[in-house]
Amino acid sequence: MRRIYKLLALLAVMTLFAAACTSDSDTDTADEPAAAAAADTTEAASDATEVTLTQSDCDKTYHVITHGDSGTFWSVVEVAVADAAEAVGCDVVYFGANNDAQAQSQAIEGAIADGSDGIAISLADPAGLEAAARAVVAAGIPLYTLNSGVNNYKDLGAVTHIGQTEIVAGNGAGERFNALGATHVLCARQEQANIGLEERCQGLAETFDGQVTSEFVGLDANPDEQEQTIASILTADSSIDAVLGVGPNLPLRALDAAESAGRTLHIGGFDLSSDLISAIEAGDIAFTVDQQQYLQGYIPVILMHLQATNQNTAGGGLPILTGPGFVTPDNAAEVAALVSEGTR
């Protein structure tokens, strides 16, 4: 999905940046179009689309080009991009490629041709995006990576990466399953070629004391397929007593699959949705790993603007980490209201 945010107010950028980076409970309210994009959905958009909002006279244009699908996770990133656009008062073009590396590469190439002042990209498929990413740097345009890309951003010449270290996040999940007493975890993935999701399962295996089985179980756009695939795996292997869904929808599919298979499981997840938080509050799901995707959309825009207008860079050659944090029954109620507002 492609959106261009041009907004009038040039706000106190550094104040907003500091607030976004130091608090887990920011309650920035998006405008109505952005809030609508953040509605709690569990199904991905089927195709990339374009929307243009034009109101500002700023002479800078920044691009945020991801593999996102405008579903539960990425709608929050879009809200953050819109909020950051308001903060800097400049054009920000958002494009979500719906897990299509070719479409994402073409959008990056288009941003270069448009003379972008800064390009931030996710690297779910590093091999598929390498040529386009290197073309950004060759064109003299500052490159940032977000969400996926912590292992590749330096080699590609990006200024910094904004996201979490996926292996470390998986490590934390493994430790929590150990505490729950699990012995065999199914690590369920919703994308086949996303290195970040594979690293979450790898990190789980590094710290979990029992057995880990990693499987692609279907796309988020096909929740029935996900549930049926997980149920089939559970039926085929009675030793599986836990499921880690490496996204916000799969834990819910695992919960339904466990019921249909007549099984009781320890279930953990990644990222946030109102349904997932409700299940955690009810005690049906043990935890979710929170990478705070709002920051992944907000911070790159602020950093690109500061570099373009004040020659500031951040990170010092290291990634800027937005996680992992954990949402459990102990703090789920505090996070729930923010999820409903579209900022968590």
Side-chain angles (χ1 to χ4, degrees), residues 49-235:
T49 57
E50 295 186 10
V51 177
T52 303
L53 305 175
T54 56
Q55 296 178 8
S56 173
D57 58 0
C58 174
D59 63 354
K60 303 294 183 184
T61 300
Y62 310 109
H63 291 75
V64 179
I65 302 171
T66 78
H67 67 285
D69 56 15
S70 293
T72 302
F73 180 91
W74 288 101
S75 62
V76 176
V77 176
E78 292 181 41
V79 168
V81 170
D83 287 351
E86 183 177 2
V88 301
C90 297
D91 293 10
V92 181
V93 179
Y94 178 84
F95 182 91
N98 197 25
N99 301 300
D100 184 335
Q102 182 177 359
Q104 191 177 356
S105 293
Q106 290 172 345
I108 294 169
E109 293 163 358
I112 296 170
D114 289 343
S116 179
D117 295 290
I119 300 175
I121 65 174
S122 62
L123 280 174
D125 185 353
L129 296 174
E130 179 178 359
R134 292 193 184 281
V136 174
V137 177
I141 300 171
L143 175 69
Y144 288 77
T145 63
L146 67 130
N147 182 258
S148 302
V150 69
N151 297 322
N152 307 91
Y153 76 96
K154 284 186 178 181
D155 180 59
L156 294 175
V159 178
T160 192
H161 174 79
I162 300 94
Q164 71 179 1
T165 301
E166 303 295 359
I167 290 179
V168 172
N171 290 162
E175 292 166 353
R176 288 184 177 269
F177 279 121
N178 287 336
L180 291 168
T183 60
H184 186 176
V185 179
L186 168 64
C187 192
R189 295 177 285 108
Q190 72 272 26
E191 296 172 20
Q192 292 196 71
N194 187 328
I195 186 65
L197 302 187
E198 293 173 1
E199 288 181 346
R200 292 176 181 181
C201 293
Q202 178 185 340
L204 167 68
E206 287 180 357
T207 57
F208 182 56
D209 293 336
Q211 181 180 352
V212 173
T213 298
S214 176
E215 295 284 353
F216 168 67
V217 298
L219 298 171
D220 281 341
N222 300 306
D224 291 340
E225 177 189 354
Q226 289 181 337
E227 179 184 341
Q228 292 165 7
T229 302
I230 294 171
S232 296
I233 294 172
L234 295 176
T235 300

Side-chain angles (χ1 to χ4, degrees), residues 264-312:
T264 300
L265 301 173
H266 302 294
I267 300 175
F270 271 77
D271 307 321
L272 305 178
S273 73
S274 59
D275 288 342
L276 178 55
I277 296 300
S278 295
I280 293 173
E281 285 188 276
D284 296 325
I285 293 175
F287 67 88
T288 190
V289 181
D290 180 15
Q291 63 177 297
Q292 302 182 106
Q293 71 268 35
Y294 183 91
L295 296 180
Q296 296 176 12
Y298 192 92
I299 294 174
V301 175
I302 301 301
L303 294 182
M304 288 189 290
H305 185 64
L306 287 173
Q307 184 170 0
T309 61
N310 207 48
Q311 289 298 299
N312 291 127

